[in-house]
Amino acid sequence: LVDTLKQSHSAGVVHRDVRQDNILQTTSGEIVLIDWGCAYRLSEQSIPSFEGTFRYASDEVLACAIVGKDFKQQPKDDLQSLARVVLTQNSPSVREELANLGPGDLKPVKDFWLRKRRSYPVHEWLFDAAEQCQYDTMKQAILG
């Protein structure tokens, strides 16, 4: 997934909806990122409205959505969403807590991820790597 996003970002395309439901595994074991319907080119002049799943959106995307401001998502936003997916995938309690938050709970979701980010050094490391678009560091953090 990190390699897929790196290639996409290198081509100037941001996915904008990295979440568990958009990650599939083929019968040969390959991991595939699907549903590129929200994706856009960074070279586009217009700023698309928030789309995607709020539970996995980056801090900046959530902050702008909370105040109703449009935000042009960047590669780091996809990577932060991936970091959230990884942390969710590895913790049933995180999944359960997120499932209890509704679509209008943007601030509680933002606060939730801030707490999770600060709860363990490896979480902070993963989010820092995402923010700085350090693809290889993210792969290392995810794979262990």
Side-chain angles (χ1 to χ4, degrees), residues 125-138:
W125 185 48
L126 181 61
F127 281 104
D128 285 346
E131 247 174 67
Q132 297 167 23
C133 292
Q134 296 175 336
Y135 297 92
D136 292 336
T137 302
M138 283 202 68

Side-chain angles (χ1 to χ4, degrees), residues 49-92:
S49 298
F50 173 71
E51 291 187 48
T53 305
F54 74 96
R55 288 182 179 98
Y56 301 98
S58 73
D59 294 337
E60 286 184 90
V61 169
L62 287 169
C64 287
I66 289 168
V67 297
K69 178 181 170 190
D70 287 334
F71 177 74
K72 190 169 186 175
Q73 291 179 323
Q74 300 297 311
K76 68 180 182 174
D77 298 301
D78 279 351
L79 294 175
Q80 282 200 18
S81 293
L82 179 58
R84 286 162 164 75
V85 168
V86 168
L87 295 178
T88 303
Q89 190 65 27
N90 292 322
S91 173

